[in-house]
Amino acid sequence: MTNSSSPNLELFLQQQNIPEQLKELLMQVAKSCDSISQAVNRGALDNILGSAGSGNIQGETQQKLDILSNDILLDDNVSSGLLAGMASEEMDTIYPIPNDMPKGKYLLLFDPLDGSSNIDVNVSIGTIFSILETTQSDSVTEQDFLKPGNMQVAAGYALYGPQTILTLTTGSGVHMFTLDPNNRQFILTRSNVLIPEDTKEFAINMSNLRHWDTPVKRYIDECIAGKEGPRNKDFNMRWIASMVADVHRVLTRGGIFMYPWDKRDPNKPGKLRLLYEANPMSFLVEQAGGLSINGPESISTIQPNHLHERVSVILGSKNEVALVQEYHLQK
Ligand code: P6P
């Protein structure tokens, strides 16, 4: 039970040493996530489940809630005067703030509703966001968005599960806020989150086993060998197929999350998107004392070449991820 002195998001941000406009932007994003949470909670009652009958640039069928969530984030933020532009998993190109609107120096990137395959079966889904800065407020181009993850000024996610939890970082630790359904306030419920350095829990889609590269196969085989194998301990496995839910579990109790490159489509570096999935999650994980790599290298140093670039993702408990990185470097 949080005591009555637990600050809400607004009070917490007031105490942070960050620009006022960034505080305003984070408050606005949180408000959008509350609206998305309410839409998700209504589901079939408002006939917003199922396919929208359209596809996105990722080659995925868009769900009605994907589009609704994207529209909420666009509509809520377009006139804030805080942004130069936005980019989304659901939009082919960047969204420059129109010239008749006030502009700011921030870029907001998001996956408006991650885990869409879980929407219709009532399993946790989430919104992931990343915030960059630009000096080109009046003439932003895609190039302005192509910054490595270590240049983010803030990142976070909203997890729509049994509770709606907003997790964010501005570079001074990771903090979690639980949405109070009675007053629609995000209340600080965990501050300075730290990921345990060791774990006995891995998250990966095992159905892809035959497609993995040797370092990943080696690592997973050793986990499955348990006490009788080289790791001398038994492991547990989880796979929710919502990155937000799997990463939240890793932040909350440790673990390793893996969506590695596989040979189904050798020219694709991975399934997950660099700019608005891997980079924000990597910022959070590293701020919480974990590691986030693409196999051989840190994700946060990767220079993006295009907006919807994909990447192999291995993140979580520091010592476990370091072992996987070692196997990749020995390859
Ligand atoms: P698979 C959801 O579609 C997503 O982008 C991530 O949230 C999740 O981790 C992954 O894909 C699940 O992929 O192949 O297991 O369905």
Side-chain angles (χ1 to χ4, degrees), residues 60 89 111 113-118 124 126 128 204-208 239-247 257-259 262 264 271-273 277 310:
E60 297 163 344
E89 176 179 297
D111 179 355
L113 203 59
D114 174 68
S116 300
S117 63
N118 285 323
S124 297
I128 308 171
I204 196 166
N205 183 336
M206 288 297 291
S207 69
N208 299 325
W239 188 249
I240 304 172
S242 271
M243 185 186 196
V244 177
D246 281 314
V247 171
F257 168 90
M258 306 172 81
Y259 211 113
D262 68 52
R264 286 177 291 177
K271 172 176 185 181
L272 302 176
R273 274 61 54 153
E277 290 177 331
R310 296 170 187 261

Side-chain angles (χ1 to χ4, degrees), residues 97-308:
I97 299 301
N99 287 330
D100 61 346
M101 293 278 183
K103 297 181 183 177
K105 68 176 182 178
Y106 293 112
L107 301 175
L108 178 63
L109 301 87
F110 46 84
D111 179 355
L113 203 59
D114 174 68
S116 300
S117 63
N118 285 323
I119 292 173
D120 289 357
V121 293
N122 199 28
V123 171
S124 297
I125 47 185
T127 297
I128 308 171
F129 63 90
S130 170
I131 300 174
L132 297 167
E133 283 183 306
T134 180
T135 54
Q136 306 300 318
S137 294
D138 292 330
S139 54
V140 72
T141 67
E142 177 171 317
Q143 195 58 40
D144 295 308
F145 288 78
L146 303 184
K147 294 184 170 78
N150 56 24
M151 293 185 70
Q152 295 173 97
V153 293
Y157 60 78
L159 174 61
Y160 311 120
Q163 302 97 48
T164 288
I165 292 183
L166 178 73
T167 298
L168 63 82
T169 185
T170 60
S172 301
V174 174
H175 312 285
M176 296 179 172
F177 303 80
T178 302
L179 181 67
D180 182 335
N182 298 325
N183 60 18
R184 311 310 300 180
Q185 293 281 317
F186 281 102
I187 306 300
L188 180 68
T189 41
R190 273 195 73 179
S191 51
N192 299 309
V193 174
L194 290 177
I195 302 174
E197 294 191 347
D198 294 299
T199 185
K200 295 179 180 178
E201 194 162 67
F202 67 89
I204 196 166
N205 183 336
M206 288 297 291
S207 69
N208 299 325
L209 186 150
R210 66 189 182 284
H211 306 304
W212 296 332
D213 199 356
T214 46
V216 172
K217 272 182 188 163
R218 174 183 176 188
Y219 173 74
I220 296 295
D221 284 346
E222 290 179 356
C223 289
I224 290 172
K227 284 198 179 71
E228 294 71 38
R231 302 300 310 278
N232 300 310
K233 62 181 181 178
D234 291 337
F235 280 75
N236 189 29
M237 195 210 92
R238 286 285 182 273
W239 188 249
I240 304 172
S242 271
M243 185 186 196
V244 177
D246 281 314
V247 171
H248 184 73
R249 187 191 55 253
V250 168
L251 281 168
T252 304
R253 70 183 189 209
I256 182 169
F257 168 90
M258 306 172 81
Y259 211 113
W261 170 93
D262 68 52
K263 60 187 177 191
R264 286 177 291 177
D265 188 344
N267 297 323
K268 217 160 78 170
K271 172 176 185 181
L272 302 176
R273 274 61 54 153
L274 176 59
L275 283 176
Y276 39 80
E277 290 177 331
N279 276 347
M281 291 310 201
S282 299
F283 192 8
L284 289 165
V285 164
E286 289 176 348
Q287 281 286 310
L291 287 181
S292 182
I293 61 175
N294 66 352
E297 60 179 346
S298 168
I299 285 177
S300 61
T301 60
I302 296 174
Q303 173 55 51
N305 294 309
H306 55 83
L307 194 60
H308 299 291

Side-chain angles (χ1 to χ4, degrees), residues 2-33:
T2 52
N3 56 48
S4 56
S5 66
S6 298
N8 64 16
L9 178 63
E10 185 172 20
L11 191 57
F12 173 86
L13 290 173
Q14 282 171 6
Q15 295 159 355
Q16 301 306 300
N17 183 23
I18 58 176
E20 287 306 312
Q21 292 206 334
L22 183 55
K23 295 176 185 177
E24 281 179 56
L25 178 53
L26 288 166
M27 284 302 295
Q28 185 54 68
V29 170
K31 179 177 172 294
S32 300
C33 291

